[in-house]
Amino acid sequence: MQARPFFEKALQVRQSLNDSIGLCETNLSLASLDQAEKKPIKALRRLDFVVHYAQRKGLTDLLVQGLQQRASLWNSLGKSDKAVSDYQEVVRWKDSLNLSTMRAKQTELEVSYRTQEKEQQLHEQELQVTRQKYWLGFLEIGRASCRERVLRLV
């Protein structure tokens, strides 16, 4: 295929840059090419690399992609036990990712709620200070009015 030389060159560049994400993405693309060219052993090696490397680097999305692609390849090779094992790993990682996302959203909502709560308290305190200033102003006006009456009487 004509795309292979470009992917091979991209792989070399990404290795020299130590680009973890790029290495995984390029190996996934090359594995697809290998699979299309009926080279399942090469495809499996690339997918094994992606799965292990992505797991070691904490690249969950790429790990899941690698597992899915490898499971599909195992299935096409008639290795249903290995395909099932990879699909089970996909489900486990997706569940873990969903749980992490849900916890992050929960934390975000908690922070938002507490912030709104504090803003409400601050607004109520400002309102109370404003009321006190008005009362002090009224008292001062009343006191000045009384003083004026007393001065008139004297």
Side-chain angles (χ1 to χ4, degrees), residues 10 24 29 32 37 39-40 46 48-50 65 71 80 123 151:
C24 289
S29 298
S32 293
E37 293 173 356
K39 299 177 183 174
R46 292 187 192 282
D48 286 343
F49 169 82
V50 170
Q65 274 184 273
S80 58
H123 178 71
L151 287 175

Side-chain angles (χ1 to χ4, degrees), residues 29-77:
S29 298
L30 283 167
S32 293
L33 286 176
D34 292 335
Q35 203 171 347
E37 293 173 356
K38 308 288 186 223
K39 299 177 183 174
I41 302 301
K42 275 184 106 173
L44 282 171
R45 279 193 211 124
R46 292 187 192 282
L47 293 170
D48 286 343
F49 169 82
V50 170
V51 168
H52 296 295
Y53 191 79
Q55 188 170 9
R56 193 172 70 235
K57 295 289 186 174
L59 305 170
T60 309
D61 289 339
L62 290 167
L63 169 62
V64 167
Q65 274 184 273
L67 285 167
Q68 286 175 321
Q69 197 169 332
R70 191 171 71 179
S72 176
L73 180 55
W74 281 128
N75 195 42
S76 71
L77 295 172

Side-chain angles (χ1 to χ4, degrees), residues 6-148:
F6 296 108
F7 283 116
E8 295 287 352
K9 181 66 177 167
L11 191 60
Q12 290 173 359
V13 170
R14 289 177 169 180
Q15 284 172 335
S16 69
L17 295 173
N18 202 21
D19 175 8
S20 300
I21 294 171
L23 281 170
C24 289
E25 289 174 339
T26 304
N27 273 296
L28 285 170
S29 298
L30 283 167
S32 293
L33 286 176
D34 292 335
Q35 203 171 347
E37 293 173 356
K38 308 288 186 223
K39 299 177 183 174
I41 302 301
K42 275 184 106 173
L44 282 171
R45 279 193 211 124
R46 292 187 192 282
L47 293 170
D48 286 343
F49 169 82
V50 170
V51 168
H52 296 295
Y53 191 79
Q55 188 170 9
R56 193 172 70 235
K57 295 289 186 174
L59 305 170
T60 309
D61 289 339
L62 290 167
L63 169 62
V64 167
Q65 274 184 273
L67 285 167
Q68 286 175 321
Q69 197 169 332
R70 191 171 71 179
S72 176
L73 180 55
W74 281 128
N75 195 42
S76 71
L77 295 172
K79 304 278 187 175
S80 58
D81 56 330
K82 292 184 178 189
V84 167
S85 176
D86 277 350
Y87 281 128
Q88 287 172 338
E89 280 294 300
V90 167
V91 169
R92 189 176 70 78
W93 281 103
K94 281 187 174 183
D95 285 349
S96 173
L97 192 59
N98 288 338
L99 183 61
S100 296
T101 303
M102 196 168 57
R103 283 183 181 150
K105 187 65 177 172
Q106 180 183 7
T107 301
E108 180 184 325
L109 289 171
E110 249 180 72
V111 168
S112 175
Y113 173 76
R114 292 194 191 290
T115 301
Q116 288 176 353
E117 203 173 54
K118 294 293 182 187
E119 286 174 351
Q120 180 65 29
Q121 287 174 355
L122 185 61
H123 178 71
E124 288 173 9
Q125 288 173 352
E126 288 171 348
L127 191 59
Q128 187 177 3
V129 167
T130 302
R131 285 185 192 136
Q132 288 173 352
K133 284 182 181 178
Y134 281 127
W135 278 110
L136 287 174
F138 288 134
L139 289 173
E140 188 61 38
I141 291 170
R143 196 173 110 205
S145 177
C146 288
R147 186 180 306 149
E148 196 175 297

